[in-house]
Every structure is written in C-alpha cells, then in structure tokens.
Amino acid sequence: MTDDTPFTGDSRVLHRRAIRIPLPDDAAELSFYRTMSTIADAQERKARLIADPDTSILEAYERQLEGIAEGFERSLEDTVGDDYEAVAHAYSSGRRDDGLAAMAAYLLEALWRLQQMFTITERTFFPVILRYPRCTTVNIRFVNGHVTENAVLYESPEHAACDLEDRHADVYHSESHWSQKRAARRIEASARLVREAFPDPRETDLETRRTGGIVAAFGRRGSEFSSAIERVEPDPDRFADAIDAPELIVEGSIAERTEREWLPEDAVVL
C-alpha cells in the first residue's frame, strides 16, 4: 500500500477497541474541547434543519455526519498533523506501529465508515467518548442494526417505500412533521449535554472537568431516522498511569453496558 492509495478501511482496528489520547497540557485540553464543540455544533445545526419543513431530513442527517467527521479531522490535524492519512497508511501497512500512527488509522477508519453511512441504511453510528483526569478515550462503534432504545425517532416521508391514498398520506405527513419537530427539540437538548460533559477549559477548573462522557447513536432504517445522546460518568481511577502518546486499548465497561442496554438482539457490532 502506498501513501497515495485511497484508504479503504480495516475494521480490525476499531472492533472492541478504543483510542486513548493524552491530555498533557493546555493546548491538548483546548484541542479536545474544540473537537467536541464541533460535534455539538453539528447537533445544533441538525436540529435547525430538521425543524425547517423546507429541508430534506436526509440532508440534515448528512450535515450532522459531516460535522462529526470535521471534529475527528480536527483532532487528527491537531494531534497527528496534516499528513495523518499517510501516517494511517503507514500503520495499516506495518511500516509504523507507534501510538500516533495507531490514532491516525483508528480515526481515519471511523471517517471512512461515516462516509459509507450516507448511502447505507440499517447502520448505526454508536460512539462512546470519555474524559478522564489525564486523558480521553474515543470508542467508535458501527452497528448493523437500528437503535431505537433511548432514541428519538422521526419520519422522512420522502423515503417512504409505499404510496398512500390522499387521506392517509395527509395523516402520515402530519405525523411525520410532528415527529420531526419533537426530534429537533430533543436533538438541540442533546447538543447541550455534549457541551456540559466537555466544558471550555478556559472557563472551568480541572476538578470541574476531570471526568465526563457521552454515548450516542445515530442511524436510519428506511424512512425512520434515530438520534440519541446520553451523559455517562467514567471511573476516574480506570487508568493509574499517564501516557505521553496515544495508544489503542480494549473497550471499557461503559461500552459493554451501553451495548447491552441500547442494541436490539439482532444487531451486530462491526
């Protein structure tokens, strides 16, 4: 594999793993905050678009995924550098095995799979992002299956598979519009959860922000879209050591618990 070969993914780097990223100084703290702010911004933009009856629900969904991808790209640029794609290739081909290369491969795999979700239904993005006293962990999961537990569901009539008679069509469109308005309110509130979990380091002391986290799920099945974000609280004593470079780790207890609680029995974690 050469550095100019398009990245086509390797699910093994994601499966049952997370990337642990150190927070050694103010610059790293600010970079993490800006990444999470970008993701919260994407939620707020999605809420505005869903509430707009002239905007396609699919467009709102895609704009959100693009915002999440932008957050991951920001993290890669700040931590790995502008050549993160070449670094990821080096990891995938075995030419590098250091932590920065592992982070590049992990998040680039996530970006590649997010791009696939624009056209693949029956797939859910199911991340867990946690803040610890001296590091963060990002656990990216993609699920073959539709997550409805803990999620707000909303309909997109333009993606309905069948034609309805006028009387039924009017009712369906009215109910769909109601579900979109309800979803917009919930999604806007979920953006606040992200900001509360990961506050601005310039405005909060370390003790206030030493731990925090979110679990989220975004997906689509046919004409039904789903969106969910919840706060979670990680164990502050999980990591006894400090690290000076990113490292791949096994997924933690919160990932295991949320998988049990959120996923339907027939769902498959990729």
mmCIF file of all heavy atoms in Angstrom, residues 186-226:
data_model
loop_
_atom_site.group_PDB
_atom_site.id
_atom_site.type_symbol
_atom_site.label_atom_id
_atom_site.label_comp_id
_atom_site.label_asym_id
_atom_site.label_seq_id
_atom_site.Cartn_x
_atom_site.Cartn_y
_atom_site.Cartn_z
ATOM 1 N N ARG A 186 -35.377 17.550 20.973
ATOM 2 C CA ARG A 186 -34.526 16.600 21.698
ATOM 3 C C ARG A 186 -33.083 16.691 21.231
ATOM 4 O O ARG A 186 -32.149 16.611 22.036
ATOM 5 C CB ARG A 186 -35.058 15.180 21.482
ATOM 6 C CG ARG A 186 -36.337 14.845 22.212
ATOM 7 C CD ARG A 186 -36.069 14.313 23.613
ATOM 8 N NE ARG A 186 -35.280 13.088 23.584
ATOM 9 C CZ ARG A 186 -35.797 11.858 23.455
ATOM 10 N NH1 ARG A 186 -37.108 11.699 23.322
ATOM 11 N NH2 ARG A 186 -35.013 10.803 23.466
ATOM 12 N N ILE A 187 -32.874 16.859 19.934
ATOM 13 C CA ILE A 187 -31.508 16.921 19.398
ATOM 14 C C ILE A 187 -30.815 18.198 19.842
ATOM 15 O O ILE A 187 -29.623 18.199 20.176
ATOM 16 C CB ILE A 187 -31.546 16.787 17.864
ATOM 17 C CG1 ILE A 187 -31.988 15.371 17.486
ATOM 18 C CG2 ILE A 187 -30.187 17.106 17.250
ATOM 19 C CD1 ILE A 187 -32.354 15.205 16.034
ATOM 20 N N GLU A 188 -31.551 19.306 19.885
ATOM 21 C CA GLU A 188 -30.970 20.544 20.386
ATOM 22 C C GLU A 188 -30.561 20.394 21.850
ATOM 23 O O GLU A 188 -29.489 20.849 22.263
ATOM 24 C CB GLU A 188 -31.961 21.691 20.227
ATOM 25 C CG GLU A 188 -31.394 23.044 20.637
ATOM 26 C CD GLU A 188 -32.377 24.174 20.403
ATOM 27 O OE1 GLU A 188 -33.587 23.899 20.285
ATOM 28 O OE2 GLU A 188 -31.930 25.327 20.333
ATOM 29 N N ALA A 189 -31.397 19.731 22.641
ATOM 30 C CA ALA A 189 -31.062 19.494 24.042
ATOM 31 C C ALA A 189 -29.847 18.588 24.178
ATOM 32 O O ALA A 189 -29.020 18.760 25.085
ATOM 33 C CB ALA A 189 -32.263 18.890 24.770
ATOM 34 N N SER A 190 -29.710 17.624 23.267
ATOM 35 C CA SER A 190 -28.568 16.710 23.341
ATOM 36 C C SER A 190 -27.260 17.429 23.058
ATOM 37 O O SER A 190 -26.210 17.048 23.580
ATOM 38 C CB SER A 190 -28.763 15.533 22.375
ATOM 39 O OG SER A 190 -28.636 15.935 21.021
ATOM 40 N N ALA A 191 -27.298 18.474 22.231
ATOM 41 C CA ALA A 191 -26.095 19.272 21.998
ATOM 42 C C ALA A 191 -25.637 19.935 23.295
ATOM 43 O O ALA A 191 -24.426 20.044 23.565
ATOM 44 C CB ALA A 191 -26.352 20.322 20.925
ATOM 45 N N ARG A 192 -26.589 20.352 24.116
ATOM 46 C CA ARG A 192 -26.231 20.938 25.415
ATOM 47 C C ARG A 192 -25.573 19.896 26.313
ATOM 48 O O ARG A 192 -24.661 20.219 27.089
ATOM 49 C CB ARG A 192 -27.471 21.529 26.083
ATOM 50 C CG ARG A 192 -28.017 22.757 25.377
ATOM 51 C CD ARG A 192 -29.004 23.513 26.243
ATOM 52 N NE ARG A 192 -30.226 22.755 26.493
ATOM 53 C CZ ARG A 192 -31.287 22.792 25.704
ATOM 54 N NH1 ARG A 192 -31.290 23.546 24.605
ATOM 55 N NH2 ARG A 192 -32.368 22.090 25.988
ATOM 56 N N LEU A 193 -26.011 18.643 26.217
ATOM 57 C CA LEU A 193 -25.387 17.578 27.002
ATOM 58 C C LEU A 193 -23.913 17.428 26.644
ATOM 59 O O LEU A 193 -23.067 17.211 27.520
ATOM 60 C CB LEU A 193 -26.110 16.251 26.780
ATOM 61 C CG LEU A 193 -27.519 16.100 27.340
ATOM 62 C CD1 LEU A 193 -28.039 14.690 27.052
ATOM 63 C CD2 LEU A 193 -27.567 16.392 28.821
ATOM 64 N N VAL A 194 -23.604 17.521 25.350
ATOM 65 C CA VAL A 194 -22.207 17.418 24.913
ATOM 66 C C VAL A 194 -21.390 18.564 25.504
ATOM 67 O O VAL A 194 -20.287 18.359 26.025
ATOM 68 C CB VAL A 194 -22.112 17.416 23.375
ATOM 69 C CG1 VAL A 194 -20.654 17.405 22.935
ATOM 70 C CG2 VAL A 194 -22.858 16.221 22.789
ATOM 71 N N ARG A 195 -21.921 19.763 25.443
ATOM 72 C CA ARG A 195 -21.185 20.926 25.959
ATOM 73 C C ARG A 195 -21.003 20.841 27.475
ATOM 74 O O ARG A 195 -19.960 21.238 28.007
ATOM 75 C CB ARG A 195 -21.919 22.213 25.572
ATOM 76 C CG ARG A 195 -22.015 22.423 24.067
ATOM 77 C CD ARG A 195 -22.475 23.823 23.730
ATOM 78 N NE ARG A 195 -22.828 23.936 22.323
ATOM 79 C CZ ARG A 195 -21.939 24.083 21.338
ATOM 80 N NH1 ARG A 195 -20.650 24.109 21.616
ATOM 81 N NH2 ARG A 195 -22.338 24.202 20.080
ATOM 82 N N GLU A 196 -22.013 20.316 28.166
ATOM 83 C CA GLU A 196 -21.897 20.167 29.615
ATOM 84 C C GLU A 196 -20.879 19.090 29.993
ATOM 85 O O GLU A 196 -20.163 19.216 30.993
ATOM 86 C CB GLU A 196 -23.263 19.823 30.204
ATOM 87 C CG GLU A 196 -24.261 20.962 30.131
ATOM 88 C CD GLU A 196 -25.682 20.509 30.430
ATOM 89 O OE1 GLU A 196 -25.867 19.302 30.725
ATOM 90 O OE2 GLU A 196 -26.599 21.346 30.367
ATOM 91 N N ALA A 197 -20.816 18.021 29.203
ATOM 92 C CA ALA A 197 -19.886 16.933 29.501
ATOM 93 C C ALA A 197 -18.443 17.339 29.267
ATOM 94 O O ALA A 197 -17.535 16.851 29.958
ATOM 95 C CB ALA A 197 -20.233 15.711 28.642
ATOM 96 N N PHE A 198 -18.220 18.248 28.310
ATOM 97 C CA PHE A 198 -16.854 18.643 27.940
ATOM 98 C C PHE A 198 -16.766 20.169 27.898
ATOM 99 O O PHE A 198 -16.779 20.767 26.818
ATOM 100 C CB PHE A 198 -16.484 18.034 26.588
ATOM 101 C CG PHE A 198 -16.739 16.548 26.510
ATOM 102 C CD1 PHE A 198 -17.761 16.036 25.717
ATOM 103 C CD2 PHE A 198 -15.970 15.661 27.237
ATOM 104 C CE1 PHE A 198 -18.005 14.671 25.637
ATOM 105 C CE2 PHE A 198 -16.208 14.281 27.177
ATOM 106 C CZ PHE A 198 -17.227 13.792 26.377
ATOM 107 N N PRO A 199 -16.693 20.824 29.066
ATOM 108 C CA PRO A 199 -16.728 22.286 29.099
ATOM 109 C C PRO A 199 -15.422 22.925 28.641
ATOM 110 O O PRO A 199 -14.382 22.268 28.520
ATOM 111 C CB PRO A 199 -16.985 22.585 30.583
ATOM 112 C CG PRO A 199 -16.424 21.398 31.305
ATOM 113 C CD PRO A 199 -16.671 20.222 30.403
ATOM 114 N N ASP A 200 -15.489 24.224 28.402
ATOM 115 C CA ASP A 200 -14.352 25.013 27.938
ATOM 116 C C ASP A 200 -13.276 25.049 29.028
ATOM 117 O O ASP A 200 -13.534 25.509 30.147
ATOM 118 C CB ASP A 200 -14.832 26.434 27.616
ATOM 119 C CG ASP A 200 -13.775 27.263 26.909
ATOM 120 O OD1 ASP A 200 -12.572 26.972 27.061
ATOM 121 O OD2 ASP A 200 -14.162 28.224 26.211
ATOM 122 N N PRO A 201 -12.073 24.559 28.745
ATOM 123 C CA PRO A 201 -11.012 24.559 29.767
ATOM 124 C C PRO A 201 -10.573 25.960 30.174
ATOM 125 O O PRO A 201 -9.951 26.134 31.223
ATOM 126 C CB PRO A 201 -9.880 23.784 29.093
ATOM 127 C CG PRO A 201 -10.111 23.966 27.630
ATOM 128 C CD PRO A 201 -11.607 23.993 27.475
ATOM 129 N N ARG A 202 -10.867 26.966 29.353
ATOM 130 C CA ARG A 202 -10.507 28.339 29.691
ATOM 131 C C ARG A 202 -11.477 28.952 30.689
ATOM 132 O O ARG A 202 -11.200 30.016 31.259
ATOM 133 C CB ARG A 202 -10.453 29.200 28.417
ATOM 134 C CG ARG A 202 -9.401 28.745 27.418
ATOM 135 C CD ARG A 202 -9.631 29.345 26.045
ATOM 136 N NE ARG A 202 -10.897 28.897 25.470
ATOM 137 C CZ ARG A 202 -11.289 29.174 24.227
ATOM 138 N NH1 ARG A 202 -10.505 29.869 23.432
ATOM 139 N NH2 ARG A 202 -12.457 28.728 23.788
ATOM 140 N N GLU A 203 -12.617 28.266 30.905
ATOM 141 C CA GLU A 203 -13.653 28.812 31.786
ATOM 142 C C GLU A 203 -13.971 27.903 32.967
ATOM 143 O O GLU A 203 -14.791 28.266 33.814
ATOM 144 C CB GLU A 203 -14.927 29.063 30.975
ATOM 145 C CG GLU A 203 -14.742 30.060 29.834
ATOM 146 C CD GLU A 203 -15.985 30.206 28.983
ATOM 147 O OE1 GLU A 203 -16.993 29.502 29.277
ATOM 148 O OE2 GLU A 203 -15.965 31.015 28.035
ATOM 149 N N THR A 204 -13.341 26.732 33.035
ATOM 150 C CA THR A 204 -13.596 25.795 34.128
ATOM 151 C C THR A 204 -12.281 25.291 34.692
ATOM 152 O O THR A 204 -11.285 25.164 33.965
ATOM 153 C CB THR A 204 -14.424 24.591 33.649
ATOM 154 O OG1 THR A 204 -13.759 23.985 32.516
ATOM 155 C CG2 THR A 204 -15.820 25.004 33.247
ATOM 156 N N ASP A 205 -12.262 24.990 35.996
ATOM 157 C CA ASP A 205 -11.043 24.444 36.587
ATOM 158 C C ASP A 205 -10.959 22.946 36.308
ATOM 159 O O ASP A 205 -11.929 22.309 35.911
ATOM 160 C CB ASP A 205 -10.992 24.729 38.089
ATOM 161 C CG ASP A 205 -12.184 24.165 38.842
ATOM 162 O OD1 ASP A 205 -12.552 22.994 38.603
ATOM 163 O OD2 ASP A 205 -12.769 24.898 39.662
ATOM 164 N N LEU A 206 -9.787 22.394 36.533
ATOM 165 C CA LEU A 206 -9.533 20.996 36.193
ATOM 166 C C LEU A 206 -10.437 20.055 36.974
ATOM 167 O O LEU A 206 -10.907 19.048 36.441
ATOM 168 C CB LEU A 206 -8.068 20.656 36.448
ATOM 169 C CG LEU A 206 -7.621 19.232 36.090
ATOM 170 C CD1 LEU A 206 -7.874 18.937 34.624
ATOM 171 C CD2 LEU A 206 -6.151 19.032 36.427
ATOM 172 N N GLU A 207 -10.708 20.364 38.229
ATOM 173 C CA GLU A 207 -11.543 19.491 39.039
ATOM 174 C C GLU A 207 -12.956 19.393 38.464
ATOM 175 O O GLU A 207 -13.575 18.325 38.484
ATOM 176 C CB GLU A 207 -11.599 20.005 40.482
ATOM 177 C CG GLU A 207 -12.316 19.084 41.453
ATOM 178 C CD GLU A 207 -11.650 17.716 41.593
ATOM 179 O OE1 GLU A 207 -10.423 17.621 41.377
ATOM 180 O OE2 GLU A 207 -12.385 16.744 41.888
ATOM 181 N N THR A 208 -13.451 20.491 37.926
ATOM 182 C CA THR A 208 -14.806 20.514 37.360
ATOM 183 C C THR A 208 -14.912 19.633 36.122
ATOM 184 O O THR A 208 -15.939 18.993 35.892
ATOM 185 C CB THR A 208 -15.209 21.950 37.009
ATOM 186 O OG1 THR A 208 -15.178 22.754 38.195
ATOM 187 C CG2 THR A 208 -16.600 22.012 36.395
ATOM 188 N N ARG A 209 -13.855 19.583 35.345
ATOM 189 C CA ARG A 209 -13.917 18.871 34.057
ATOM 190 C C ARG A 209 -13.078 17.603 34.042
ATOM 191 O O ARG A 209 -12.837 17.039 32.971
ATOM 192 C CB ARG A 209 -13.457 19.802 32.926
ATOM 193 C CG ARG A 209 -12.013 20.242 32.985
ATOM 194 C CD ARG A 209 -11.624 21.134 31.805
ATOM 195 N NE ARG A 209 -10.199 21.325 31.717
ATOM 196 C CZ ARG A 209 -9.489 22.209 32.404
ATOM 197 N NH1 ARG A 209 -10.112 23.019 33.254
ATOM 198 N NH2 ARG A 209 -8.180 22.297 32.258
ATOM 199 N N ARG A 210 -12.661 17.111 35.195
ATOM 200 C CA ARG A 210 -11.717 15.981 35.227
ATOM 201 C C ARG A 210 -12.318 14.696 34.676
ATOM 202 O O ARG A 210 -11.602 13.831 34.157
ATOM 203 C CB ARG A 210 -11.175 15.771 36.639
ATOM 204 C CG ARG A 210 -12.192 15.284 37.650
ATOM 205 C CD ARG A 210 -11.630 15.361 39.072
ATOM 206 N NE ARG A 210 -10.422 14.589 39.221
ATOM 207 C CZ ARG A 210 -10.399 13.323 39.665
ATOM 208 N NH1 ARG A 210 -11.552 12.710 39.943
ATOM 209 N NH2 ARG A 210 -9.266 12.669 39.808
ATOM 210 N N THR A 211 -13.639 14.504 34.785
ATOM 211 C CA THR A 211 -14.287 13.351 34.165
ATOM 212 C C THR A 211 -15.593 13.790 33.499
ATOM 213 O O THR A 211 -16.220 14.771 33.912
ATOM 214 C CB THR A 211 -14.625 12.250 35.195
ATOM 215 O OG1 THR A 211 -15.527 12.762 36.166
ATOM 216 C CG2 THR A 211 -13.371 11.725 35.860
ATOM 217 N N GLY A 212 -15.979 13.057 32.496
ATOM 218 C CA GLY A 212 -17.233 13.325 31.796
ATOM 219 C C GLY A 212 -17.331 12.377 30.617
ATOM 220 O O GLY A 212 -16.358 11.725 30.241
ATOM 221 N N GLY A 213 -18.501 12.317 30.021
ATOM 222 C CA GLY A 213 -18.608 11.440 28.871
ATOM 223 C C GLY A 213 -19.995 11.416 28.267
ATOM 224 O O GLY A 213 -20.969 11.863 28.869
ATOM 225 N N ILE A 214 -20.045 10.903 27.048
ATOM 226 C CA ILE A 214 -21.306 10.724 26.339
ATOM 227 C C ILE A 214 -21.299 9.388 25.607
ATOM 228 O O ILE A 214 -20.249 8.872 25.217
ATOM 229 C CB ILE A 214 -21.577 11.854 25.316
ATOM 230 C CG1 ILE A 214 -20.456 11.905 24.262
ATOM 231 C CG2 ILE A 214 -21.766 13.194 26.001
ATOM 232 C CD1 ILE A 214 -20.783 12.739 23.048
ATOM 233 N N VAL A 215 -22.484 8.835 25.436
ATOM 234 C CA VAL A 215 -22.722 7.749 24.495
ATOM 235 C C VAL A 215 -23.782 8.253 23.533
ATOM 236 O O VAL A 215 -24.697 8.981 23.936
ATOM 237 C CB VAL A 215 -23.169 6.453 25.210
ATOM 238 C CG1 VAL A 215 -24.408 6.676 26.049
ATOM 239 C CG2 VAL A 215 -23.414 5.341 24.191
ATOM 240 N N ALA A 216 -23.658 7.910 22.276
ATOM 241 C CA ALA A 216 -24.575 8.434 21.264
ATOM 242 C C ALA A 216 -24.899 7.342 20.252
ATOM 243 O O ALA A 216 -24.182 6.344 20.127
ATOM 244 C CB ALA A 216 -23.965 9.637 20.553
ATOM 245 N N ALA A 217 -26.005 7.548 19.542
ATOM 246 C CA ALA A 217 -26.387 6.640 18.455
ATOM 247 C C ALA A 217 -27.124 7.442 17.396
ATOM 248 O O ALA A 217 -28.069 8.163 17.711
ATOM 249 C CB ALA A 217 -27.270 5.513 18.973
ATOM 250 N N PHE A 218 -26.680 7.315 16.148
ATOM 251 C CA PHE A 218 -27.325 7.988 15.025
ATOM 252 C C PHE A 218 -27.472 6.980 13.893
ATOM 253 O O PHE A 218 -26.487 6.346 13.508
ATOM 254 C CB PHE A 218 -26.497 9.183 14.530
ATOM 255 C CG PHE A 218 -26.038 10.100 15.627
ATOM 256 C CD1 PHE A 218 -24.694 10.226 15.917
ATOM 257 C CD2 PHE A 218 -26.944 10.831 16.366
ATOM 258 C CE1 PHE A 218 -24.248 11.063 16.922
ATOM 259 C CE2 PHE A 218 -26.522 11.671 17.374
ATOM 260 C CZ PHE A 218 -25.174 11.798 17.657
ATOM 261 N N GLY A 219 -28.685 6.847 13.377
ATOM 262 C CA GLY A 219 -28.851 5.883 12.305
ATOM 263 C C GLY A 219 -30.136 6.099 11.526
ATOM 264 O O GLY A 219 -30.892 7.036 11.765
ATOM 265 N N ARG A 220 -30.359 5.192 10.588
ATOM 266 C CA ARG A 220 -31.521 5.280 9.704
ATOM 267 C C ARG A 220 -31.937 3.882 9.282
ATOM 268 O O ARG A 220 -31.091 3.022 9.002
ATOM 269 C CB ARG A 220 -31.175 6.116 8.469
ATOM 270 C CG ARG A 220 -32.227 6.074 7.367
ATOM 271 C CD ARG A 220 -31.711 6.718 6.102
ATOM 272 N NE ARG A 220 -32.569 6.406 4.972
ATOM 273 C CZ ARG A 220 -32.193 6.457 3.709
ATOM 274 N NH1 ARG A 220 -30.967 6.837 3.396
ATOM 275 N NH2 ARG A 220 -33.028 6.157 2.734
ATOM 276 N N ARG A 221 -33.250 3.636 9.278
ATOM 277 C CA ARG A 221 -33.802 2.404 8.713
ATOM 278 C C ARG A 221 -34.953 2.806 7.819
ATOM 279 O O ARG A 221 -36.028 3.193 8.296
ATOM 280 C CB ARG A 221 -34.283 1.460 9.813
ATOM 281 C CG ARG A 221 -34.897 0.150 9.275
ATOM 282 C CD ARG A 221 -35.329 -0.756 10.405
ATOM 283 N NE ARG A 221 -36.316 -0.103 11.262
ATOM 284 C CZ ARG A 221 -36.700 -0.567 12.446
ATOM 285 N NH1 ARG A 221 -36.154 -1.667 12.923
ATOM 286 N NH2 ARG A 221 -37.611 0.084 13.157
ATOM 287 N N GLY A 222 -34.736 2.734 6.512
ATOM 288 C CA GLY A 222 -35.767 3.148 5.577
ATOM 289 C C GLY A 222 -36.121 4.606 5.772
ATOM 290 O O GLY A 222 -35.274 5.491 5.655
ATOM 291 N N SER A 223 -37.375 4.866 6.097
ATOM 292 C CA SER A 223 -37.831 6.245 6.280
ATOM 293 C C SER A 223 -37.733 6.706 7.731
ATOM 294 O O SER A 223 -38.052 7.855 8.028
ATOM 295 C CB SER A 223 -39.279 6.376 5.820
ATOM 296 O OG SER A 223 -40.134 5.539 6.587
ATOM 297 N N GLU A 224 -37.294 5.821 8.624
ATOM 298 C CA GLU A 224 -37.212 6.165 10.046
ATOM 299 C C GLU A 224 -35.768 6.475 10.438
ATOM 300 O O GLU A 224 -34.873 5.664 10.247
ATOM 301 C CB GLU A 224 -37.744 5.024 10.905
ATOM 302 C CG GLU A 224 -37.765 5.360 12.392
ATOM 303 C CD GLU A 224 -38.334 4.230 13.228
ATOM 304 O OE1 GLU A 224 -37.658 3.178 13.324
ATOM 305 O OE2 GLU A 224 -39.447 4.378 13.756
ATOM 306 N N PHE A 225 -35.557 7.643 11.008
ATOM 307 C CA PHE A 225 -34.253 8.064 11.498
ATOM 308 C C PHE A 225 -34.263 8.033 13.026
ATOM 309 O O PHE A 225 -35.310 8.198 13.657
ATOM 310 C CB PHE A 225 -33.931 9.475 11.012
ATOM 311 C CG PHE A 225 -33.660 9.573 9.534
ATOM 312 C CD1 PHE A 225 -34.694 9.477 8.609
ATOM 313 C CD2 PHE A 225 -32.369 9.763 9.064
ATOM 314 C CE1 PHE A 225 -34.449 9.571 7.248
ATOM 315 C CE2 PHE A 225 -32.111 9.859 7.708
ATOM 316 C CZ PHE A 225 -33.153 9.762 6.793
ATOM 317 N N SER A 226 -33.093 7.839 13.616
ATOM 318 C CA SER A 226 -32.989 7.811 15.074
ATOM 319 C C SER A 226 -31.802 8.640 15.529
ATOM 320 O O SER A 226 -30.797 8.753 14.828
ATOM 321 C CB SER A 226 -32.842 6.369 15.580
ATOM 322 O OG SER A 226 -31.642 5.798 15.086
#
